[in-house]
Amino acid sequence: MRPDAQKPELAADVDGVIGRIAGETPVECPVCRNQAFRTLFEATDRLYRTTDRKFQIVECGQCRLIRLFPQPGAGELRGYYPATYWFGPEDETVDRLEELYRRFVLRDHLNFVSRALESSPADGLVLDVGCGGGLFLRMLAERGYRVAGLDNSLDAVRLAWKGNGVPAVCATLSSPPFAPGSCSAVTMFHVLEHLYEPHSYLEEARGLLKPGGRLIVQVPNAACWQFLFLGRKWSGLDVPRHLWNFRPRDLDALLGRNGFEVVRRKHFSLRDNPAGLATSLAPWLDPMARRVRRVAESPRAQLCKNMIYLCLVAASVPFAALEAACRAGSTIMVEARRSS
């Protein structure tokens, strides 16, 4: 039962914001503006199998930020995001069990954001960028916070409204339908790594925040042990959907360049770290991947495979906890505030 996969806000959907050169021309590093890089290895879509095209994983020659090369063009990139990329429960018992599991593993995300809001003097809207079906926002609203979601998928927005009862807008952060200074927090869980120009979203988020407001960002951690041991098989690369692969220092530099200072970091996510390792080891068992690839299986077989995957996730917890305790967890979650 893979944790809640949220369909990201693709910069490829934003005219005039992309600012990239199509084809195989080197893309400017968003952290240091350098274009030179060295190749680490080749990889393809190991999880959803949307393509058999090979991409290079390269490292910036100056700051060592890891990225995808060549970056797919806008039309091509859209094709790598299946319509069912985000999770939405159906009526079947198996899906209801999945939702209960997702609620359980989302609690540490919820606690991280709640603590950030409690330490902030700002009082306003909590905006989740790339909200998917809105389960996280629903859980946050249950704690009494005013929430709203933003997603570029109309189906995801419909599910957020009808399935989870939270307000959501089909839009992108480059043209946010919210007033400047209206948000007490902006959250971006696994969004920045999907964007052609992640700094543009950080700039917009800064403008939406009230004084003292908080930005919560989570990305895969390219400095984790899982990447060190598994290389191209690490699920955090998610070729070709992840255009950038940040280390903590890369994320800090990107945030600092866009007017934020880091307040707090978290290296463990119950939702993502153990499941990420399980998916790296057995991508054919990943429930979301099987759903996206429309694998033919009976309800009994589906439940059986999900239970095997859940056991693999549980077995991955000790390693995921150990690497996180050593500040090398497979994800990094950051609370940041506007710098003066």
Side-chain angles (χ1 to χ4, degrees), residues 160-213:
W161 276 102
K162 296 181 180 180
N164 286 303
V166 294
V169 181
C170 187
T172 59
L173 198 60
S174 58
S175 302
F178 301 97
S182 60
C183 297
S184 59
V186 175
T187 62
M188 299 184 194
F189 297 110
H190 293 279
V191 170
L192 292 181
E193 64 269 27
H194 294 265
L195 304 176
Y196 285 127
E197 294 189 354
H199 60 83
S200 67
Y201 264 39
L202 294 177
E203 290 174 358
E204 294 295 343
R206 191 175 189 277
L208 288 174
L209 288 173
K210 290 176 173 286

Side-chain angles (χ1 to χ4, degrees), residues 106-328:
L106 274 170
R107 291 187 65 181
D108 64 341
H109 283 64
L110 203 65
N111 292 336
F112 189 90
V113 173
S114 295
R115 179 177 167 184
L117 291 169
E118 289 167 3
S119 64
S120 168
D123 181 20
L125 193 67
V126 180
L127 176 64
D128 187 26
V129 179
C131 66
L135 178 59
F136 169 75
L137 285 176
R138 177 180 174 182
M139 294 173 68
L140 202 58
E142 288 169 356
R143 294 195 177 188
Y145 295 105
R146 290 195 298 119
V147 301
L150 199 66
D151 203 288
N152 69 335
S153 166
L154 185 57
D155 289 335
V157 167
R158 285 178 180 145
L159 177 61
W161 276 102
K162 296 181 180 180
N164 286 303
V166 294
V169 181
C170 187
T172 59
L173 198 60
S174 58
S175 302
F178 301 97
S182 60
C183 297
S184 59
V186 175
T187 62
M188 299 184 194
F189 297 110
H190 293 279
V191 170
L192 292 181
E193 64 269 27
H194 294 265
L195 304 176
Y196 285 127
E197 294 189 354
H199 60 83
S200 67
Y201 264 39
L202 294 177
E203 290 174 358
E204 294 295 343
R206 191 175 189 277
L208 288 174
L209 288 173
K210 290 176 173 286
R214 295 292 192 264
L215 172 70
I216 311 297
V217 171
Q218 185 191 27
V219 295
N221 178 15
C224 68
W225 290 359
Q226 292 183 35
F227 186 33
L228 176 65
F229 295 144
L230 298 172
R232 75 191 69 201
K233 293 182 178 180
W234 178 47
S235 62
L237 292 174
D238 200 20
V239 176
R241 287 163 292 276
H242 288 185
L243 305 181
W244 314 99
N245 294 281
F246 300 100
R247 299 181 179 96
R249 67 167 182 256
D250 302 323
L251 185 59
D252 287 357
L254 183 63
L255 290 169
R257 184 180 292 273
N258 289 279
F260 289 98
E261 58 180 345
V262 174
V263 175
R264 185 167 50 108
R265 299 175 181 83
K266 191 173 188 292
H267 298 268
F268 182 78
S269 163
L270 184 59
R271 185 190 78 166
D272 299 309
N273 294 30
L277 179 55
T279 295
S280 297
L281 297 174
W284 59 89
L285 279 177
D286 184 293
M288 185 62 69
R290 297 190 342 257
R291 182 198 298 259
V292 165
R293 298 201 313 267
R294 300 185 184 279
V295 175
E297 52 192 19
S298 66
R300 183 176 180 179
Q302 181 185 14
L303 181 59
C304 182
K305 289 179 182 179
N306 285 355
M307 292 306 295
I308 294 172
Y309 181 79
L310 181 59
C311 289
L312 184 56
V313 171
S316 300
V317 169
F319 178 85
L322 177 61
E323 64 174 352
C326 296
R327 298 178 180 270

